[in-house]
Amino acid sequence: DTGVSQDPRHKITKRGQNVTFRCDPISEHNRLYWYRQTLGQGPEFLTYFQNEAQLEKSRLLSDRFSAERPKGSFSTLEIQRTEQGDSAMYLCASSGDGEQYFGPGTRLTVT
Amino acid sequence: DQQVKQNSPSLSVQEGRISILNCDYTNSMFDYFLWYKKYPAEGPTFLISISSIKDKNEDGRFTVFLNKSAKHLSLHIVPSQPGDSAVYFCAASAGFGNEKLTFGTGTRLTIIP
């Protein structure tokens, strides 16, 4: 399977802890996106990379959030000092010259 | 503010009939529109897209119509099949879908056998 993969699929953490998620895009895709989806809502854009450069960040991405894409391949999204409001599905997508293809997501629950 | 709106949270359609899902947008800068389908515990799957230079795009059982003056698009599925039961998201971007996508809140489609 050469689709977008995300790890872990589920994460339960206590408030105040740090968490890190990983996304592996489709190998020939140079763009990588992070979105967040909460219950009853559509995915909301967080940030995106072209190769290793982070080109845009949403105002939703507070300073507790940081994303990296070293070497333009996989990406990580870290959330520091998690809050209950961070509970959501975190989706990664990648694209080449066309549409964005999504991974299965990481469901984060902050207790 | 919600720049992409799907006003029907749910829709039920008899198998074999036509399903019509609607979407409205407010941002005049949007020039590329997409429909995604989502099953539980999976990420959204791309279905079909349309550029603002067109008013219709067809792919098999799926057709998307765009009315730029009304800032409205719709997805037609015909004939509807039980496997089409899912949540459908409308999305828009200012730039061929390679830029950030703005999603609607989704419509849950249920196909009744």
Side-chain angles (χ1 to χ4, degrees), chain A residues 10-98:
Chain A
H10 303 275
K11 178 72 177 178
I12 300 174
T13 191
K14 293 187 176 179
R15 190 177 56 186
Q17 298 293 305
N18 299 344
V19 293
T20 300
F21 311 140
R22 176 179 170 126
C23 170
D24 286 89
I26 294 170
S27 58
E28 61 267 28
H29 285 178
N30 59 356
R31 292 195 177 208
L32 185 149
Y33 309 77
W34 285 99
Y35 293 82
R36 181 173 69 185
Q37 185 177 15
T38 54
L39 199 62
Q41 301 297 314
E44 294 176 290
F45 171 80
L46 292 178
T47 187
Y48 90 94
F49 294 82
Q50 179 157 328
N51 300 313
E52 64 273 12
Q54 188 173 18
L55 296 187
E56 188 171 350
K57 289 167 59 173
S58 163
R59 67 182 187 281
L60 292 175
L61 214 64
S62 76
D63 54 9
R64 295 186 298 106
F65 288 70
S66 62
E68 293 183 343
R69 192 183 182 197
K71 303 178 183 177
S73 55
F74 71 91
S75 175
T76 58
L77 177 68
E78 180 183 17
I79 309 174
Q80 296 183 327
R81 305 181 303 281
T82 52
E83 302 173 354
Q84 287 189 317
D86 297 331
S87 295
M89 175 75 84
Y90 289 84
L91 293 161
C92 175
S94 70
S95 72
D97 293 332

Side-chain angles (χ1 to χ4, degrees), chain B:
Chain B
D1 66 335
Q2 193 73 25
Q3 297 185 67
V4 178
K5 301 177 186 179
Q6 294 177 257
N7 292 319
S8 297
S10 62
L11 176 68
S12 294
V13 175
Q14 207 77 30
E15 181 179 359
R17 300 287 190 114
I18 183 170
S19 295
I20 300 175
L21 295 94
N22 293 302
C23 178
D24 297 291
Y25 63 96
T26 57
N27 189 337
S28 300
M29 297 300 293
F30 290 149
D31 60 3
Y32 195 72
F33 305 89
L34 307 91
W35 285 93
Y36 283 83
K37 173 180 176 179
K38 188 178 184 305
Y39 293 119
E42 295 184 11
T45 302
F46 169 73
L47 266 181
I48 192 169
S49 61
I50 188 167
S51 162
S52 61
I53 62 174
K54 294 186 173 182
D55 55 18
K56 177 182 173 181
N57 189 28
E58 251 180 289
D59 184 1
R61 296 186 300 115
F62 302 92
T63 303
V64 56
F65 295 91
L66 174 63
N67 182 334
K68 283 182 293 183
S69 60
K71 293 192 175 66
H72 176 84
L73 62 155
S74 61
L75 174 68
H76 292 210
I77 306 172
V78 56
S80 300
Q81 299 173 354
D84 296 330
S85 295
V87 178
Y88 288 77
F89 290 99
C90 171
S93 76
F96 186 50
N98 261 350
E99 307 301 324
K100 65 182 180 184
L101 296 177
T102 300
F103 283 85
T105 51
T107 296
R108 181 177 299 280
L109 176 65
T110 302
I111 304 303
I112 305 163

